[in-house]
Amino acid sequence: MISKRLIVCLDVRGGRVVKGVNFKDLRDLGDPVELAARYEAAGADEIVFLDISASHEERATLLDLVQATAERLFIPLTIGGGIRSAEDVGLALRAGADKVSLNTTAVERPDVITAASERFGAQCVVVSIDAARDGAGWRVFTKGGRQPTDLEAVAWARRAVELGAGELLVTSIDRDGVRSGYDLDLTRTIARAVEVPVIASGGAGNAEHVVAALKEGEASAALVAGILHDGVTTVRDLKERMMAAGIPTRRTW
Amino acid sequence: MRVTVFDYGAGNLHSLLKAVVAAGVEPVVETDPVRAADADALVLPGVGAFAPAAARLAPGRELLRRRLLDGMPCLGICLGLQLLFERSDEGPGAGIGLVTGAVTRIRAARLPQIGWNRIEAVADPLLLAAGLEEAYYANSYVGRPESLATVVAWSRYEDDRFPAAIRYQRTLGVQFHPEKSSSRGVALVRAFIEDART
C-alpha cells in the first residue's frame, strides 16, 4: 500500500530560504541545501523549492542551487516558480529536479503542460493551483497569489489533468501562513474531481491539520512549511500523529 | 571498474550518479548505447518515456542484449527495468528483449503512482542487504515478466499487485527509484556496485 506523503516546502529567494505570510513580509530562514538535507534526515518524504524571486538576477542562482541540492538529496525534489516553457522544465530536470511545478505559466500557456508531459512524462509535471474562496467555489489566482483569473479552481484542476498534469498542488490562499488548517473542502472537492494525486497546501498549524488534510481532505500528500521551519513541530511528530490516526506513513526512525 | 550510465537525454541523473560515487566508483555517462555497452557494469536510469528511450537504445540493442546474456551486471531503474522487456504499452519501439513479458499500465483509479510504497516478499540478496522495505515510485506502467520466478520483490498499488524487482542472471531491474529512496535506496546502489566487482 502506498504511503501518504509529508512534503516540506522551502520558499527560496535569491539563493536563501525565506518565509512570509500571505506571500508578504519575508524572513530569512537559511541555506536551502542544508535545510533540504536536514529535512531528509528528519524523515521528510519530498522537498519542494518554490522560487519566489522577484527579479532575473535573484533567479539566476536557482539552477546552481538545484544541482547542489540534488547531489546531496536522495528524496524527490520539486522546483516551482519562474518556469515559463517546456525548455525551462527540461533545464530544471537536467539541473537535478525530479518534478517541476507550473502555476502562472500553466494558466497563461496551458500548452506548456502538454509539451512537458509528453516530453518528460506526466510524473514530473505538477500543476500548482493557488485558489481563494469565491462564493460557492474557489477562484484561481496567479503571480504568487496576487493576480485573480477567470478560472474556477475545480474546473481548472480537471482541465490541467486532461492537458497532462501528473499531480496537483492545491494551495488555499486564504489559509496560507495563517495556521488555521487546510481548506479541506477545496482539497477534497479537487481530489474527487481528478484521478491524479493531490497535494494539500496552505494553512497547516499543527499535526491535526495535517491528519485532517490526508483523511477528510482526501489528499495524497500534505505540504508543510512554516510550522517546521519555526520549530512549532517536527517531521517525526507529524508522522507519529499520522500513524496514530491510521494513515499509511513512511517510518524512518 | 568501468560503470556506465546510459543517458536517454531526459531528466535528472545527478542523484543517481552521486549514489554510484558513494559506492566508490566514478560512473561514466554515455549517450551512445554502443559505448554504454562497453562496461564492467551498466546502469539503465529511470527517467523519460519508453518510445524516445527505445529509439536512443536502438543502435546498441543487439549488443546490449548479448552483453547482458553474457552476464554483464546491470541495474535497470523504473523505465530502465521496462527497457529490459521487448515492448511496452506506453509507446512504440523495441526494448532490449532480455525478459519475456509485458509492460502494462497499473490497474488503478489514481495514476501516476507517486510516492513511497512497501516492498514485499523480497527474495534478492542485494535488496535484502540494503534493507529496503519502502521505496519511492513515480510511474504509471510496470514490467510484468511471464516467468514469476524472475520476480524477486512485489508491491501493491490500490488493487494491483505488481513486480517491484526482477532478476535475470546478473541483471537486477527495480520498478522504484533507489536514488530517490533515501539512505536505504543509496545502499541498494552500493550493494549492486559491490556485487558487480566480484
Side-chain angles (χ1 to χ4, degrees):
Chain A
M1 186 199 273
I2 197 150
S3 295
K4 300 260 185 177
R5 288 166 285 155
L6 189 69
I7 301 176
V8 177
C9 181
L10 304 173
D11 287 351
V12 176
R13 181 172 182 169
R16 300 290 292 177
V17 178
V18 295
K19 183 62 190 171
V21 175
N22 290 101
F23 294 100
K24 300 181 203 98
D25 306 324
L26 303 174
R27 288 179 291 127
D28 185 285
L29 295 177
D31 174 50
V33 182
E34 285 301 324
L35 279 167
R38 204 185 304 163
Y39 280 122
E40 175 184 354
D45 294 316
E46 291 186 35
I47 302 291
V48 172
F49 280 177
L50 183 60
D51 184 17
I52 58 168
S53 295
S55 67
H56 275 295
E57 292 72 41
E58 286 177 343
R59 185 157 284 142
T61 55
L62 184 72
L63 292 184
D64 292 339
L65 189 63
V66 168
Q67 182 163 344
T69 307
E71 289 177 354
R72 281 190 53 191
L73 197 71
F74 294 102
I75 57 175
L77 174 65
T78 302
I79 303 303
I83 310 277
R84 308 214 185 283
S85 63
E87 288 68 39
D88 284 353
V89 173
L91 288 174
L93 297 176
R94 286 306 272 189
D98 300 290
K99 301 189 249 186
V100 168
S101 150
L102 301 169
N103 189 318
T104 302
T105 298
V107 171
E108 291 178 351
R109 291 189 54 200
D111 57 296
V112 174
I113 303 173
T114 309
S117 183
E118 283 174 358
R119 207 177 302 175
F120 308 109
Q123 83 291 334
C124 71
V125 180
V126 183
V127 169
S128 163
I129 300 175
D130 290 342
R133 265 278 179 203
D134 189 356
W138 296 269
R139 182 184 294 272
V140 175
F141 284 66
T142 57
K143 309 212 186 281
R146 296 185 304 275
Q147 178 75 45
T149 72
D150 294 333
L151 297 171
E152 193 281 318
V154 182
W156 170 233
R158 281 203 190 91
R159 180 87 187 110
V161 172
E162 280 169 19
L163 289 166
E167 210 170 5
L168 298 179
L169 168 58
V170 179
T171 302
S172 162
I173 297 174
D174 307 317
R175 304 294 179 90
D176 187 62
V178 180
R179 301 190 184 174
S180 56
Y182 297 86
D183 186 336
L184 301 180
D185 285 341
L186 172 66
T187 308
R188 180 175 50 238
T189 306
I190 290 181
R192 288 183 180 180
V194 299
E195 294 179 338
V196 302
V198 169
I199 304 162
S201 163
N206 56 45
E208 280 70 35
H209 294 152
V210 171
V211 167
L214 299 172
K215 292 198 108 169
E216 292 98 291
E218 299 179 19
S220 296
L223 189 108
V224 175
I227 53 170
L228 291 175
H229 308 326
D230 292 350
V232 172
T233 183
T234 63
V235 171
R236 177 160 170 179
D237 180 52
L238 292 176
K239 285 193 147 185
E240 281 179 344
R241 302 291 278 279
M242 284 162 59
M243 290 168 84
I247 295 168
T249 305
R250 180 175 74 107
R251 189 191 165 109
T252 55
W253 57 92
Chain B
M1 183 168 67
R2 177 174 152 88
V3 176
T4 55
V5 176
F6 183 40
D7 181 4
Y8 323 115
N12 164 25
L13 295 180
H14 292 282
S15 303
L16 174 60
L17 296 176
K18 278 291 162 186
V20 175
V21 168
V25 172
E26 202 65 46
V28 182
V29 177
E30 293 286 6
T31 52
D32 175 352
V34 174
R35 290 169 61 160
D38 174 22
D40 300 304
L42 167 71
V43 181
L44 298 172
V47 279
F50 187 88
R56 294 286 286 264
L57 192 81
R61 186 170 54 239
E62 267 318 301
L63 178 61
L64 282 167
R65 183 163 182 275
R66 249 193 341 268
R67 295 281 291 129
L68 297 187
L69 284 171
D70 286 347
M72 174 169 67
C74 172
L75 176 62
I77 296 169
C78 193
L79 174 64
L81 171 151
Q82 295 167 14
L83 286 166
L84 298 171
F85 289 71
E86 291 136 340
R87 67 188 75 83
S88 168
D89 285 356
E90 192 199 350
I96 294 169
L98 184 76
V99 179
T100 305
V103 178
T104 62
R105 207 167 158 83
I106 300 174
R107 293 181 292 270
R110 201 175 288 275
L111 288 175
Q113 169 186 217
I114 295 180
W116 299 77
N117 205 338
R118 306 285 305 171
I119 309 294
E120 299 158 358
V122 176
D124 192 85
L126 298 189
L127 290 166
L128 289 168
L132 203 66
E133 296 168 344
E134 205 165 357
Y136 190 84
Y137 283 93
N139 62 320
S140 295
Y141 290 82
V142 291
R144 303 179 201 266
E146 230 164 56
S147 163
L148 290 186
T150 321
V151 180
V152 291
W154 293 85
S155 286
R156 182 183 295 278
Y157 183 70
E158 295 186 13
D159 294 328
D160 193 356
R161 189 167 187 253
F162 64 89
I166 61 177
R167 160 73 71 177
Y168 185 85
Q169 296 182 359
R170 297 202 73 186
T171 294
L172 176 67
V174 292
Q175 193 58 74
F176 51 84
H177 287 270
E179 80 284 11
K180 292 292 152 189
S181 297
S182 205
S183 52
R184 290 186 177 185
V186 177
L188 175 64
V189 175
R190 177 184 321 218
F192 167 76
I193 296 293
E194 282 171 2
D195 182 63
R197 283 183 211 274
T198 60

